[in-house]
């Protein structure tokens, strides 16, 4: 047992190599603390001397005996432990208190504890116990139990004995102290780092029947847990199937949106082609009057004197005469090839082949008109019939071209209407980062500032900021607008999750978020990195790996150490333990260098440069300090001819010097 008392109060009672870490259960502080409450309150109820009992090693061994049964690294909540039948049948919870970790709140908590009551104090992730064991003779006697090694008791778990509520409150405020800068950071993480909760408990008398019922209840709860676990696994499988179904449905909807987007793009392209065709038809229609005016004065007079209805009848007669023959007779009796066109009823949305056909037909019409134009500038005087037929054909062609232009105009209007319907069915927004029109289903809206950003740009921005360890992450549109009034919008985790960030990004988000109130520590053994609370990092001298490698090292020198053993950065404490374990280590009488003999005689020579001391390993006496062989031999002979033996065994015949005879 180690009893530490730096001042008259408090008194720390600790036992070497007894802690939750020595038991192989680094997350069992809640179990150990509640077991201590159960045992010490039972002793208090039976009027036993608690102060004498806590000085016995068997007491703390019995308390820590529950730790090896919890092998998980997960920390248990106080409510979970209190619900166990083993504790619920021995303890009653009176109330639950919460507060900020400071001296005033702890002083109030300690003063409200009545004799025979205990407070299970939780400041995540640590749990300790504080008990009022005052008696009628001794007032204000408090005992705290802490299963963690601390700088005040580095060897293991400890009982801390206080003789006043002020000392107990001071100890708790130092143990759970909060830096001033943590409160100023804000956020639920900082708030959780500064608050504590205390479950006020008292002992409950239990009969053997109730203990048996508790055992029954524990076993039945175990069976119930297995049933619930099987049911949960079945529900998990069903949920996974439902998730797979929703993913498939989501993929189908994405494909439908993509097809709708492709249809919209195709409609836009067709609309542009129809506009180009309409423009070409209008240009050709405007060019026709100039062609007609260039046919000569005779043809102009005929077209002006002929009524429109007469022209139509003559065109109809000419067309009927030319059916099946493909020619129109001229003045000489020959038949010229006729240009036969038919107005076609086009559908609401023409395809690419129809559009290409119409474009080629209009180009052919324009080309033929250009070829006819020179012939019409100087018509023969005798060919009035041919000029009249040509004028009628040109006039009919003009009417057909205007009809075709009107149909193209209608097609354009229908295409525009179809495009508007597509946009109304799928509302879009313009992303402020990539400046593309995106579907409203792909929006990632930042509630802090109201900016709409597409999911892909949001995820890219968050990943870029996390890679540079930037915190908090500001909305990219707010950063790009320095003239914006008010505070910039901060992106929260929910927005990132809704944007579709993957697991790696969310894990990186958690690491950066924890780094604000923690210190990243690398294990010197497995080289894995884990966050450590900033306050705990400043308070402790020794660190241990949170993973499974079991490393335990000094924070200052980063050298490996042994759990429960005193460590010194210069290696003195480790050397003292090694020397005590070896038992045959001598110090040079000349320079005090530690030397261990591994074999050979008892004549020792100091290995330190410049010392040149020769001494006896058996008695430690200096024989001489010299490098001269004659002086060394004389000193060795003189010393070992006395009470010390040069060898640990009697020399055999083989060890005797051999004399060669001649």
């Amino acid at each position: 047992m180690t009893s530490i008392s730096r001042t008259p109060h408090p008194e720390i009672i600790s036992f070497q190599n007894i802690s939750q870490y020595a038991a192989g259960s680094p997350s069992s502080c809640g179990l150990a603390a509640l077991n201590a409450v159960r045992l010490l309150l039972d002793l208090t109820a039976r009027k036993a001397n608690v102060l004498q009992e806590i000085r016995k090693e068997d007491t703390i061994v019995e308390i820590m005996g529950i730790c090896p049964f919890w092998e998980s690294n997960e920390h248990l909540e106080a409510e979970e432990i209190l619900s166990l039948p083993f504790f619920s049948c021995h303890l009653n919870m009176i109330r639950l208190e919460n507060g900020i970790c400071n001296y005033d709140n702890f002083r109030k908590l300690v003063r409200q504890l009545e004799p025979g009551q205990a407070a299970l104090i939780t400041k995540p992730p640590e749990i300790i116990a504080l008990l009022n064991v005052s008696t009628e003779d001794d007032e204000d006697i408090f005992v705290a139990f802490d299963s963690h090694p601390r700088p005040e008791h580095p060897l293991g778990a400890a009982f801390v004995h206080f003789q006043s509520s002020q000392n107990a409150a001071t100890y708790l405020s130092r143990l759970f102290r909060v830096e001033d800068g943590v409160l100023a950071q804000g956020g639920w993480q900082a708030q959780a780092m500064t608050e504590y909760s205390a479950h006020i408990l008292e002992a409950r008398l239990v009969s053997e029947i109730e203990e048996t019922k508790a055992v029954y209840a524990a076993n039945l709860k175990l069976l119930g847990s297995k049933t619930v676990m099987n049911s949960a696994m079945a529900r998990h499988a069903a949920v996974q199937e439902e998730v797979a179904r929703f993913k498939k449905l989501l993929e189908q909807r994405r494909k439908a949106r993509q097809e709708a987007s492709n249809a919209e793009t195709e409609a836009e392209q067709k609309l542009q082609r129809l506009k180009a065709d309409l423009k070409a038809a209008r240009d050709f229609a405007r060019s026709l009057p100039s062609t007609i005016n260039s046919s000569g004065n005779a043809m102009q007079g005929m077209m002006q004197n002929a009524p429109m209805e007469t022209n139509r009848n003559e065109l109809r007669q000419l067309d009927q005469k030319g059916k099946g023959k493909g020619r129109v007779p001229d003045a000489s009796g020959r038949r010229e090839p006729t240009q036969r066109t038919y107005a076609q009823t086009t559908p609401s949305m023409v395809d690419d082949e129809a559009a290409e056909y119409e474009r080629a037909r209009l180009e052919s019409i324009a080309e033929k008109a250009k070829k006819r134009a020179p012939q019409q500038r100087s018509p023969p005087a005798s060919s009035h019939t041919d000029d009249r037929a040509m004028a009628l054909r040109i006039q009919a062609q003009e009417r057909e071209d205007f009809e075709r232009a009107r149909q193209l105009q209608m097609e354009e209007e229908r295409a525009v209407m179809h495009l508007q319907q597509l946009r109304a069915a799928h509302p879009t927004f313009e992303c402020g980062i990539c400046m593309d029109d995106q579907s409203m289903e792909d929006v990632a809206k930042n509630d802090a500032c109201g900016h709409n950003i597409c999911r892909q740009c949001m995820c890219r921005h968050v990943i870029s900021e996390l890679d540079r360890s930037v915190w908090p992450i500001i909305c990219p549109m707010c950063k790009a607008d320095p003239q914006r009034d008010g505070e910039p919008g901060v992106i929260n985790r929910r927005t990132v999750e809704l944007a579709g960030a993957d697991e790696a990004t969310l894990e990186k988000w958690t690491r950066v978020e924890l780094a604000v109130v923690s210190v990243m520590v690398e294990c010197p053994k497995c080289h894995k990195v884990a966050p450590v609370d900033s306050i705990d990092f400043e308070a402790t001298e020794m660190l241990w790996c949170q993973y499974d490698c079991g490393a335990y090292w000094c924070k200052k020198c980063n050298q490996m150490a042994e759990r429960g053993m005193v460590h010194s950065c210069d290696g003195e404490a480790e050397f003292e333990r090694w020397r005590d374990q070896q038992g045959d280590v001598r110090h040079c009488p000349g320079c005090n260098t530690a030397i261990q003999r591994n074999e050979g005689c008892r004549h020792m020579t100091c290995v330190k440069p410049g010392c040149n001391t020769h001494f006896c390993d058996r008695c430690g006496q200096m024989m001489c300090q010299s490098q001269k062989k004659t002086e060394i031999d004389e000193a060795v002979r003189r010393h070992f001819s006395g009470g010390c033996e040069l060898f640990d065994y009697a020399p055999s015949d083989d060890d005797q010097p051999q004399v060669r005879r001649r």
Side-chain angles (χ1 to χ4, degrees):
M1 179 188 76
T2 302
S3 179
I4 306 172
S5 181
R6 299 178 182 174
T7 60
H9 305 290
E11 177 187 11
I12 301 177
I13 304 167
S14 178
F15 295 88
Q16 188 172 354
N17 293 334
I18 299 179
S19 69
Q20 63 188 55
Y21 304 106
S25 182
S27 303
S28 60
C29 57
L31 288 170
L34 200 56
N35 204 25
V37 171
R38 179 190 65 82
L39 182 61
L40 297 184
L41 287 184
D42 182 65
L43 293 175
T44 303
R46 291 191 282 109
K47 306 298 183 183
N49 192 332
V50 178
L51 297 181
Q52 290 183 359
E53 293 294 331
I54 63 177
R55 287 175 170 80
K56 297 178 181 179
E57 186 175 358
D58 294 341
T59 303
I60 197 169
V61 169
E62 182 178 357
I63 291 173
M64 301 300 297
I66 196 173
C67 295
F69 294 96
W70 183 252
E71 299 178 354
S72 174
N73 290 329
E74 296 293 332
H75 289 272
L76 293 171
E77 299 292 338
E79 290 80 3
E80 296 177 345
I81 307 174
L82 284 170
S83 64
L84 297 177
F86 179 71
F87 293 111
S88 61
C89 69
H90 289 88
L91 300 171
N92 284 330
M93 191 179 81
I94 302 174
R95 63 183 181 277
L96 175 65
E97 296 184 4
N98 297 280
I100 302 296
C101 296
N102 55 42
Y103 174 80
D104 294 334
N105 289 335
F106 284 127
R107 175 71 184 280
K108 179 181 178 182
L109 172 65
V110 174
R111 294 183 65 179
Q112 289 180 350
L113 276 183
E114 298 180 1
Q117 292 183 353
L120 191 68
I121 304 175
T122 303
K123 181 180 179 291
E126 298 179 350
I127 301 177
I128 69 169
L130 178 68
L131 301 93
N132 187 342
V133 295
S134 303
T135 61
E136 296 179 356
D137 299 330
D138 298 323
E139 297 181 355
D140 289 340
I141 299 179
F142 299 91
V143 173
F145 173 77
D146 191 352
S147 61
H148 306 82
R150 304 286 185 184
E152 293 81 3
H153 46 89
L155 301 181
F159 291 106
V160 186
H161 171 213
F162 310 99
Q163 292 189 358
S164 68
S165 60
Q166 294 88 344
N167 289 341
T170 302
Y171 180 83
L172 293 175
S173 61
R174 290 177 179 176
L175 180 63
F176 297 137
R177 71 180 183 273
V178 178
E179 299 293 339
D180 296 336
V182 176
L183 288 173
Q185 294 176 0
W188 64 269
Q189 297 95 338
Q191 184 177 3
M193 298 285 292
T194 59
E195 289 187 350
Y196 74 90
S197 62
H199 295 75
I200 311 301
L201 308 170
E202 64 180 3
R204 181 171 175 265
L205 297 178
V206 183
S207 62
E208 294 182 1
I209 297 178
E210 291 178 331
E211 290 185 349
T212 304
K213 289 182 179 180
V215 174
Y216 291 160
N219 292 329
L220 292 177
K221 280 190 175 182
L222 179 61
L223 293 176
S225 299
K226 290 183 178 180
T227 303
V228 172
M229 182 180 66
N230 294 333
S231 177
M233 292 178 63
R235 288 197 301 271
H236 177 71
V239 169
Q240 290 297 325
E241 294 179 358
E242 191 71 12
V243 169
R245 187 177 68 83
F246 277 116
K247 285 184 178 179
K248 184 177 180 180
L249 181 60
L250 179 61
E251 185 65 24
Q252 293 176 353
R253 291 185 176 180
R254 287 180 179 175
K255 290 182 178 179
R257 288 197 303 270
Q258 185 65 31
E259 292 176 357
S261 178
N262 295 338
E264 181 179 348
T265 303
E266 184 179 355
E268 183 70 26
Q269 294 175 355
K270 290 182 178 180
L271 177 61
Q272 296 300 327
R273 289 197 296 269
L274 289 174
K275 287 182 177 180
D277 293 344
L278 179 62
K279 183 177 183 300
R282 287 174 176 173
D283 294 341
F284 175 71
R286 283 194 295 267
S287 66
L288 288 177
S290 61
T291 304
I292 297 174
N293 293 332
S294 63
S295 60
N297 297 327
M299 186 174 62
Q300 290 179 3
M302 287 187 296
M303 293 183 63
Q304 291 175 359
N305 297 327
M308 179 63 65
E309 190 64 30
T310 305
N311 292 340
R312 291 180 181 176
N313 295 331
E314 292 178 357
L315 179 63
R316 197 176 293 116
Q317 293 175 2
L318 290 173
D319 186 57
Q320 290 177 356
K321 291 179 180 180
K323 284 185 179 179
K325 300 178 182 180
R327 297 178 179 272
V328 178
D330 56 4
S332 62
R334 294 178 302 171
R335 294 183 178 271
E336 294 293 333
T338 59
Q339 183 70 27
R340 302 173 67 182
T341 58
Y342 299 93
Q344 300 178 358
T345 303
T346 57
S348 60
M349 180 60 66
V350 294
D351 53 9
D352 294 340
E353 295 180 357
E356 186 66 24
Y357 171 77
E358 291 299 328
R359 190 182 301 108
R361 193 179 69 82
L362 292 174
E363 291 177 356
S364 176
I365 293 173
E367 186 66 24
K368 289 181 179 181
K370 291 179 181 179
K371 291 180 180 180
R372 288 194 301 266
Q375 298 174 3
Q376 294 171 356
R377 289 193 185 98
S378 58
S382 61
S383 60
H384 296 288
T385 305
D386 293 342
D387 293 340
R388 180 182 178 86
M390 179 66 69
L392 292 175
R393 284 197 297 271
I394 293 175
Q395 187 177 9
Q397 184 66 46
E398 183 180 6
R399 287 197 298 270
E400 291 181 1
D401 291 337
F402 276 109
E403 179 65 22
R404 180 59 185 163
R406 188 181 65 83
Q407 293 178 0
L408 290 175
Q409 181 69 28
M410 294 174 61
E411 292 294 336
E412 179 184 7
E413 293 176 356
R414 283 194 290 267
V416 171
M417 184 180 299
H418 181 65
L419 184 62
Q420 292 176 352
Q421 291 175 353
L422 288 176
R423 290 178 176 175
H426 301 280
T428 61
F429 73 98
E430 183 180 1
C431 175
I433 304 300
C434 62
M435 307 304 293
D436 290 338
D437 288 337
Q438 304 286 348
S439 174
M440 287 301 296
E441 297 180 358
D442 294 332
V443 67
K445 184 176 182 179
N446 188 16
D447 296 334
C449 58
H451 286 140
N452 290 335
I453 305 172
C454 70
R455 295 181 179 180
Q456 188 175 9
C457 291
M458 176 65 76
C459 292
R460 288 178 179 175
H461 173 69
V462 170
I463 292 173
S464 175
E465 297 295 272
L466 292 177
D467 290 340
R468 298 187 296 114
S469 299
V470 176
W471 192 266
I473 299 179
I474 305 299
C475 171
M477 296 186 66
C478 294
K479 295 179 75 173
D481 185 11
Q483 305 297 329
R484 183 176 181 271
D485 296 334
E487 294 294 329
V490 178
I491 300 175
N492 54 30
R493 186 187 181 95
R494 179 176 177 273
T495 303
V496 178
E497 291 175 349
L498 293 177
D502 55 11
E503 292 295 332
T505 303
L506 296 178
E507 290 179 3
K508 189 179 296 184
W509 177 286
T510 303
R511 289 197 300 268
V512 175
E513 189 175 23
L514 288 176
V516 179
V517 291
S518 61
V519 178
M520 303 305 293
V521 178
E522 179 182 2
C523 173
K525 184 176 180 181
C526 65
H527 301 288
K528 293 182 179 179
V529 179
V532 178
D533 181 77
S534 303
I535 300 175
D536 294 341
F537 182 79
E538 295 295 332
T540 186
E541 297 294 335
M542 308 301 293
L543 301 173
W544 51 89
C545 184
Q546 299 183 19
Y547 300 97
D548 299 330
C549 73
Y552 185 79
W553 70 93
C554 175
K555 182 181 70 174
K556 293 182 179 179
C557 64
N558 208 37
Q559 296 297 322
M560 302 298 293
E562 298 181 30
R563 292 180 182 272
M565 298 294 181
V566 178
H567 169 76
S568 58
C569 296
D570 57 0
E572 182 179 357
E574 287 78 3
F575 174 74
E576 293 293 335
R577 287 200 300 272
W578 173 80
R579 185 185 62 184
D580 295 342
Q581 292 173 359
Q582 298 298 321
D584 59 349
V585 179
R586 290 286 185 181
H587 289 271
C588 173
C591 62
N592 203 32
T593 300
I595 301 176
Q596 182 184 27
R597 183 177 69 91
N598 53 7
E599 61 180 359
C601 64
R602 292 287 184 177
H603 173 203
M604 304 294 293
T605 303
C606 183
V607 296
K608 183 178 180 180
C611 182
N612 301 320
T613 299
H614 299 265
F615 62 96
C616 177
D617 182 62
R618 182 179 296 278
C619 63
Q621 181 181 353
M622 180 189 293
M623 294 184 291
C624 68
Q625 278 186 315
S626 176
Q627 289 182 313
K628 296 180 179 180
K629 187 176 185 303
T630 55
E631 294 180 1
I632 296 172
D633 292 343
E634 177 63 24
V636 171
R637 185 192 62 77
R638 185 172 57 250
H639 179 80
F640 288 105
S641 63
C644 294
E645 295 290 339
L646 183 59
F647 294 94
D648 293 335
Y649 58 91
S652 61
D653 295 338
D654 296 336
D655 297 328
Q656 298 296 331
Q658 301 293 327
V659 179
R660 179 176 296 179
R661 298 179 182 273
R662 294 186 178 179

